Amino acid sequence: SRMDKPEVLTTSVHCGQGAVRAIRYNVDGNYCITCGSDKTMKLWNPLRGIHIKTYTGTGNEVLDCASSSDNAQLVAGGLDRCLNILDVESGKMLRRWRAHAAKVNAVAFNEESNVAFSASMDCTIQAFDARSRSEKPVQIFNEATDSVLSLEVHGTEMVASSADSHFRVYNVRNGTMTEDFMGDSVSCARFTPDAACVLVSTLRSPLRLIDKNDGKLLMSYKGHVSSDIQLESVPLHSMEFVASGSEDGAVYVYGVLDGAIAARLDHGGTKSVHSLACHPKKNHLLSTDGVSLFLWTPRGSFE
Amino acid sequence: ISERMTALYGTSFDDLEDEERDAVSKKPTGIQDQVATDERGKRRFHGAFTGGFSAGYFNTVGSKHGWAPSEFRSSREERSDNSRQRAEDFMDAEDLGEFGIASRRIRQTKEFSTGSTLAWEWGGASQSTVEGIFAKDLQVAIKAVSDSIGIRMLREMGWRQGRAVGLTTMREAKKHRNLDDVDREQITKVAPHWVASAEDEEVIHMDPFEGQKGLGYSGELRGSGLLSEKYGQSATIMKGKKGKGITGQAFGVGAFEDEDESVYTSFDLSQYDFALGPAVSEKKSDVPDSSFVAAKSVLSSRKFYGAPKLPPTFKGIHVPKKKMDANDLPSRMKEAVEGLNTEQRALFLGENRESNGGKTKRKSRWDVKGEEKEDDSFDREERERRREREESRNAERAKRIEYPRDENKQRRFMEYLHYVRRGLAMPQPADISRWEWEKEEVEFESRLLPDERALLPDVRARSKPLAKSALALPILDMMRSKFVGETNTPHMMSTRDEDRMMAVRSEMFGEKTRVKFEWHPAYGLAKLFNVPNPYPGSTIHGLAHLQNKGKRREENVLSTIGLPSTAAEFAMNVGMGEEKRRDEEREERMKEKEKEERTERRKDRDIERERYDKDEKRRREEEDEKEKENRGEEEEQRAPGDLLAAIFGMESSDESEDDEEKKDEGKNTVLPTTSQADEKRTSEKGEGKEDIIRIMEMEDEFGPAPPPGLNQTEGLTGFSVLRFNAEVKKMRKRKRKMEEREKERENEREEKKKKSKKAKKEKKSKKKHKKEKKESKSTRRSRSDSDESSSDSSVQALD
């Protein structure tokens, strides 16, 4: 069925971008973007495995990118310590903020795509008004005491994970911030589609599903290997499965409720699978082992 | 022979004037005098190596002082013409000469003097347009033609322009190749003797070269402005064929090198990508990328919901239908409300009073529910008992009278006590001087109770930074905000962190691992997110307890350095009105105590330092025990140690940087590892409740806490010493003035006496006076010198 776990390798394409740092779906899930260490971003049609366009213009390696909700813009950040906004159609650089003192680890747009966020190794997250011409950030989030590693915006909430062993959930509407201690560097924190829980990847620890409201552990998922690499994890669209990258060259798909390994998606190598993205409407899973992009779909989804 | 008899032809030479003198000055002219001059003897060339322009002092327009502006004068009698200035007004006379830029010689204008004088060269003129043809005819008519002699001879012989030279009957067949056979037949019939002349020949048109570039240089394409797309294309075309044409680059590359891709001169717009799609330049396939399919359905954009429609009767003001009357309440509720005491009512109304039970402190306004529950469950009796105990203790403390006679001192002591209990250093009171206060402080310390004394090292640690220079403070501040605190060392790890690690290990997430904060989004952020600001009117951004850092950084650097705002402080002291009286007293005291005090102070300082060192040791030993109490201000307390660590021991941060560098292309991002539990901030916030509450209670008793910046600046002993010195100097000045005044008075008196004496003695006495004065001055100076040196030494001793 369509909402089953992804287990069939539908596409695998060599990206040719040096090392692929991150892979992201666009808003509707029809396209995906890979961020390369050769200072490029590539736009793909993942289902067909077709390369559509290459974006250049960032000053250095691209570590993360995100597409705006109208698919007109891309926000990208990386070792150039800048937050860049590119035009999808023309590939032109529209904005650039040189605000951070260290590399930008993660970037995000809010739902309306009028605020661009960048999370950096300089322990800050900065929010910029994407529509004004101001060079100054709207707000600097300086709560983290170590590198901020991941960032996600969901409605009026943001979740940011940091190497200071915490993940933080900011709520703009309520004016609250919660700080959850995880015991080790939190490499990735993502909201579930309903934004009720947070899926947290912690270094040298199992994957954890944390209740957003009270910070209690709902389930922990063991199986993947995590020793010293920043691995990403994603909850799948149907909320029946979660997936995590692993350092043994595979993606582990767990059942949300039972915590058992539902599938081990072998990428046919020993390179760690560090970046994942989930389709916003289907149980399709994109992953990268740093060289190629892989699309995993449920069995029988194309019959 | 007389001149009249001779006939003279030609022009005579000028008479040589002063032949003799000339003969004398037959010296060769020096090189410095060999200058080019114009007809008027003005120097022609000036400037660099005399090859420069004809300009300078003598050649300037107008006067010797340069160009003088012409006056405009007009009066009733003498109306001036509306004189217009012309370019010539600003020119040298030479400019109007034959070779000047505005030569007045009549000559052909450029249009007529084309330069080509040979008639056959005219063919090159443009004939494409009608005007062109007319122009040519006109030229022929108007222009003087000077053909070469050969052409003129040819023309005499019947040659016309455009014909070949000579008759070529021999090559008839060839020449008549253009004529048809029919034509030829007709020609032979009609004019059998007709000899066809040579065929019209192509006239070689020689275009005169117009332009300033060298021969063979074609220049850029016409109309290739900077804005046109063709701009620079010719250059790239030329680049393509190596060795031909002029590429415009001054230097080529060697035979063994490949030409670099020119980065800086690639101004060609064709090199930029103007179009969508994969690299077009090479393949230039017209077929569009088949994979890029137009979307069948348009993406549904975000839906915005309009505001709800209001009923026409709606008014913006809430009017209760019925006024609430307490009498209308159900009787049970009335009874319940009457039975409530203040605390219960406070609880009922959701007020959070710190004094009730002393245990709960609301972390944020979102915790109301949990708090209330806790209160309910709390044993009321226990609370009462505890409160009684606290009250009795506080009353005891409040009653403490150490200085029954000196009211002010007693008040200061109580204030001091208050500060110590809060773990803060008391700033110098305004009504006493620095040195008095320092003395008094030592005195107060001796009167502290043992439990209060235990707080002293804490106070001292905060008031006295380990680092000598006051400059260390901003550095410390910067470092602290940049690096993670050294919580990794085992003895610094608090129980709170251990607890949290335990919780993580046992997967007991929730209360122990979570901290909730009140977080203020920036005004702009809330607006951009299209939500109302949760804290309207709030000036804070982010977390409230992180505000200090940010603000302090923005403020003036001086204030962070901790320099005493001496002017302000002195002003405060001076402005106290009683200043004069106190000064007088002090002067008296000063005379007696000056020496005494200096030694005393030194002693005190030594003692203090010893004690401080001891305390420091003890403090470190007892660190773990005290941590619970001190956690509230952990960060500040750790400051000096932190600074040193930040400056000298930043291994951990270095490591993380190394980690960053290690990762290469193929590898993935490696996380900087942070070992366990480093969260002082959360611990600070979460626990240490008792401490906070104690402080809060005292606040009720003694008033609000001093501003945080105050104790920092006050605590700098180095500056306090400087200030002390300044004060002492001031006093001494005053004293000196008074002494001088007295002496003057004495002198006057003496003088009066002497006036009454004989005039002879006057001179002598005056001399004596002068001598005395001089002596006294010199002694004073030496004394002041010694004073200064002594004060210097005191500073040095302190440092």
Side-chain angles (χ1 to χ4, degrees), chain B residues 166-399:
Chain B
L167 301 171
T168 48
T169 43
M170 304 284 283
R171 289 174 285 170
E172 197 180 338
K174 198 182 165 190
K175 298 290 176 230
H176 288 264
R177 65 180 181 278
N178 284 351
L179 300 172
D180 291 349
D181 291 339
V182 185
D183 288 346
R184 212 170 289 149
E185 274 173 33
Q186 281 181 345
I187 287 169
T188 46
K189 275 178 191 170
V190 173
H193 301 292
W194 180 74
V195 183
S197 75
E199 192 74 9
D200 281 8
E201 280 199 349
E202 284 275 309
V203 178
I204 304 161
H205 295 308
M206 305 285 257
D207 291 332
F209 181 76
E210 297 170 338
Q212 287 138 354
K213 307 268 165 56
L215 280 173
Y217 182 83
S218 62
E220 282 149 14
L221 292 181
R222 278 268 170 90
S224 64
L226 265 172
L227 293 173
S228 82
E229 276 187 38
K230 284 179 184 171
Y231 176 72
Q233 266 181 356
S234 61
T236 38
I237 291 162
M238 281 179 173
K239 260 181 231 163
K241 6 173 178 162
K242 272 185 190 175
K244 285 172 190 172
I246 299 151
T247 57
Q249 255 179 335
F251 302 101
V253 285
F256 302 106
E257 298 170 71
D258 291 327
E259 195 166 8
D260 290 332
E261 198 182 331
S262 67
V263 184
Y264 302 107
T265 56
S266 64
F267 46 81
D268 183 8
L269 289 182
S270 71
Q271 289 169 8
Y272 294 87
D273 189 6
F274 285 106
L276 266 177
V280 206
S281 54
E282 284 155 23
K283 285 181 183 175
K284 230 184 179 181
S285 60
D286 295 329
V287 189
D289 189 359
S290 59
S291 62
F292 198 76
V293 187
K296 279 171 190 164
S297 59
V298 184
L299 275 178
S300 58
S301 57
R302 199 185 164 202
K303 212 173 179 183
F304 286 93
Y305 298 94
K309 270 190 181 175
L310 295 171
T313 55
F314 178 79
K315 283 176 192 169
I317 310 154
H318 175 67
V319 185
K321 281 179 184 170
K322 210 176 169 188
K323 233 183 182 182
M324 190 178 146
D325 193 359
N327 298 327
D328 294 347
L329 289 171
S331 56
R332 272 185 70 192
M333 193 185 267
K334 267 193 271 182
E335 281 167 30
V337 169
E338 275 164 20
L340 287 177
N341 60 13
T342 50
E343 260 177 46
Q344 284 166 329
R345 199 175 297 125
L347 273 176
F348 186 74
L349 293 171
E351 285 174 16
N352 193 23
R353 293 206 178 174
E354 299 303 340
S355 56
N356 61 2
K359 190 200 165 190
T360 53
K361 198 221 167 225
R362 208 155 52 135
K363 276 171 271 174
S364 78
R365 61 178 188 160
W366 313 103
D367 289 355
V368 177
K369 277 189 179 175
E371 230 47 70
E372 277 173 3
K373 269 182 201 168
E374 241 175 279
D375 278 333
D376 288 339
S377 62
F378 198 79
D379 188 1
R380 197 166 287 177
E381 280 181 28
E382 172 66 27
R383 211 193 297 162
E384 290 277 307
R385 234 181 293 144
R386 194 184 278 185
R387 197 179 50 195
E388 274 168 26
R389 231 185 295 142
E390 291 269 292
E391 271 172 9
S392 63
R393 207 175 64 192
N394 286 342
E396 220 172 85
R397 279 182 170 174
K399 274 179 206 161

Side-chain angles (χ1 to χ4, degrees), chain B residues 383-585:
Chain B
R383 211 193 297 162
E384 290 277 307
R385 234 181 293 144
R386 194 184 278 185
R387 197 179 50 195
E388 274 168 26
R389 231 185 295 142
E390 291 269 292
E391 271 172 9
S392 63
R393 207 175 64 192
N394 286 342
E396 220 172 85
R397 279 182 170 174
K399 274 179 206 161
R400 246 170 84 189
I401 294 167
E402 300 281 350
Y403 304 98
R405 288 181 192 174
D406 193 340
E407 215 173 279
N408 282 334
K409 202 167 186 182
Q410 171 66 20
R411 181 179 51 77
R412 284 199 294 274
F413 178 70
M414 289 312 291
E415 213 174 322
Y416 174 78
L417 215 58
H418 173 218
Y419 272 99
V420 167
R421 281 178 199 163
R422 286 199 278 180
L424 299 169
M426 180 171 168
Q428 179 198 344
D431 53 346
I432 55 171
S433 71
R434 183 84 215 172
W435 58 272
E436 273 175 328
W437 169 238
E438 279 183 11
K439 210 182 145 208
E440 216 169 69
E441 226 178 349
V442 178
E443 200 183 317
F444 286 165
E445 267 174 33
S446 62
R447 305 223 176 186
L448 288 178
L449 294 178
D451 62 329
E452 290 158 350
R453 201 176 289 262
L455 292 167
L456 273 180
D458 187 18
V459 175
R460 285 217 195 84
R462 227 171 292 160
S463 64
K464 287 174 189 174
L466 276 182
K468 280 176 195 169
S469 167
L471 287 169
L473 271 177
I475 299 171
L476 159 70
D477 203 36
M478 255 165 51
M479 292 295 183
R480 221 192 290 165
S481 62
K482 277 209 167 173
F483 297 100
V484 182
E486 45 148 12
T487 40
N488 299 347
T489 47
H491 77 275
M492 292 297 270
M493 186 152 143
S494 63
T495 45
R496 160 81 178 166
D497 290 337
E498 275 171 5
D499 276 1
R500 293 200 303 170
M501 278 313 287
M502 280 300 291
V504 170
R505 257 175 243 139
S506 57
E507 303 214 316
M508 296 286 285
F509 289 92
E511 286 167 22
K512 281 188 177 172
T513 57
R514 163 161 291 203
V515 192
K516 200 165 184 178
F517 295 99
E518 188 178 296
W519 175 77
H520 295 242
Y523 172 73
L525 192 72
K527 197 159 194 184
L528 287 167
F529 267 82
N530 205 13
V531 294
N533 193 345
Y535 306 99
S538 157
T539 51
I540 302 171
H541 290 176
L543 300 187
H545 71 272
L546 280 179
Q547 293 305 303
N548 264 350
K549 273 187 193 171
K551 265 193 182 172
R552 224 182 289 153
R553 240 177 277 149
E554 279 167 26
E555 274 170 14
N556 187 12
V557 186
L558 277 179
S559 65
T560 61
I561 288 172
L563 286 171
S565 51
T566 43
E569 271 171 41
F570 282 134
M572 197 168 72
N573 281 344
V574 170
M576 286 306 285
E578 299 171 348
E579 233 266 330
K580 273 191 180 175
R581 188 182 49 77
R582 233 185 297 124
D583 272 356
E584 281 160 21
E585 285 175 16

Side-chain angles (χ1 to χ4, degrees), chain A residues 19 89 143 163 166 175 179 272, chain B residues 276 535 665 668 674 679 681-682:
Chain A
E89 199 174 318
E143 289 81 18
H166 288 83
E179 202 175 58
S272 51
Chain B
L276 266 177
Y535 306 99
E665 270 216 339
N668 304 305
T674 49
E679 279 327 278
R681 215 173 50 234
T682 47

